[in-house]
Amino acid sequence: MAANQNRRIVVVADPAAQAKTAAERIIARIAANGGRVAICLSGGSSPKQLFELLATEAYRPKIPWDRVHWFIGDERFVPAGDPHSNIAMARKAFLDQCAPPANVHPIPVDSADPAEAARRYESELKSFYGADMLTRERPLFDVVLLGVGPDGHTASLFPGYPAVEETTRWVTEVPKANVEPFVPRVSLTLPTLGSCREMLFEASGSGKRAILTRVFAGEDLPANRAHSQGETIWLLDKAALPENYRE
Ligand code: 6PG
């Protein structure tokens, strides 16, 4: 069992409401920090609607873009413009239109291999943070967005893989993916993802019901091991709720 004591489940009607709620949570976290803000984005398709919403006239003016930095929790080791690239989706949906280029921190997929990309991203995170060790007093990220895959993976931390057990490195290579797309990955590790004020999972649609049933039963899955040192929120829409779920 992987107990997740500080997890809170928030249920909304549909993906549109989910994107709105996530946008508002992010904006509240930005407002709570008067200095430099760091947000770690998730890959996959779940955050697309949220990303697009952040670029709309209703939300764009609410974000002080100059002081917000955008990172990514995992990347597929494919060229920057590849349709499978996580950062490419975020760039297209909102970053290229809204964020100063120097505030966008992609995983360097121009590296020789995923191990080198992981090392380079780790150095970038350490230099942004200004120290080689994460401390609880000063979390790395204000918000970490995450999703959950059909096998219970989160970021590119797949069940049973050594990357899940990594406690020293901030970023690791994942030579083989457990689900599609079957390309090597680079992923932040659990301690790095957990160094945040808020971790916000998003899952929607009936296709997520089976894995959420396992997650909420407390199975030892990477998505259950991921938790923030602050608040951990699972933002779900009604269709994703397991049948036996009771609030
Ligand atoms: C990735 C992800 C991954 C994703 C989940 C959920 O690179 O694939 O970061 O962890 O968040 O697999 O994916 P969906 O949002 O597409 O369901």
Side-chain angles (χ1 to χ4, degrees):
M1 291 281 280
N4 220 328
Q5 294 91 344
N6 68 351
R7 172 165 72 201
R8 190 151 68 82
I9 297 163
V10 176
V11 182
V12 293
D14 53 29
Q18 187 177 41
K20 200 163 172 282
T21 305
E24 272 148 23
R25 295 198 69 89
I26 289 170
I27 286 162
R29 287 285 170 188
I30 295 172
N33 176 352
R36 188 183 63 165
V37 174
I39 298 190
C40 184
L41 302 173
S42 52
S45 54
S46 302
K48 189 162 184 260
Q49 217 168 330
L50 159 68
F51 293 171
E52 288 170 349
L53 195 62
L54 295 177
T56 60
E57 275 319 302
Y59 286 90
R60 187 175 174 160
K62 295 185 181 171
I63 297 178
W65 295 94
D66 283 349
R67 63 180 182 88
V68 183
H69 288 254
W70 307 90
F71 295 85
I72 190 105
D74 74 309
E75 188 55 278
R76 290 94 181 255
F77 196 70
V78 293
D82 189 279
H84 289 310
S85 161
N86 283 335
I87 199 75
M89 192 277 271
R91 280 191 185 284
K92 192 158 173 257
F94 80 113
L95 292 174
D96 283 352
Q97 298 160 65
C98 306
N103 291 11
V104 179
H105 303 264
I107 289 177
V109 290
D110 60 349
S111 306
D113 52 36
E116 186 194 315
R119 279 194 299 273
R120 285 173 63 195
Y121 206 50
E122 179 164 319
S123 313
E124 182 167 355
L125 285 169
K126 285 179 173 171
S127 107
F128 180 85
Y129 186 67
D132 284 352
M133 293 284 287
L134 294 166
T135 59
R136 289 187 73 82
E137 300 69 53
R138 200 165 62 86
L140 172 59
F141 298 116
D142 292 85
V143 181
V144 169
L145 288 174
L146 286 173
V148 55
D151 56 352
H153 78 262
T154 193
S156 280
L157 302 172
F158 299 101
Y161 278 41
V164 183
E165 309 299 334
E166 181 59 56
T167 53
T168 313
R169 295 174 63 188
W170 291 27
V171 185
T172 184
E173 69 276 17
V174 180
K176 206 169 140 279
N178 200 39
V179 298
E180 284 189 331
F182 292 105
V183 292
R185 315 284 187 100
V186 177
S187 184
L188 270 60
T189 58
L190 289 174
T192 314
L193 293 167
S195 181
C196 61
R197 297 183 194 283
E198 175 167 336
M199 183 178 278
L200 182 58
F201 279 87
E202 279 190 290
S204 62
S206 57
K208 295 285 181 190
R209 251 185 239 162
I211 189 58
L212 288 174
T213 304
R214 293 174 58 195
V215 167
F216 296 157
E219 229 184 276
D220 184 8
L221 298 166
N224 253 345
R225 290 209 202 172
H227 59 269
S228 167
Q229 63 171 78
E231 235 186 321
T232 304
I233 308 281
W234 281 69
L235 178 58
L236 312 175
D237 78 343
K238 285 208 172 108
L241 273 192
E243 263 145 46
N244 58 358
Y245 176 80
R246 301 263 178 284
E247 272 187 85

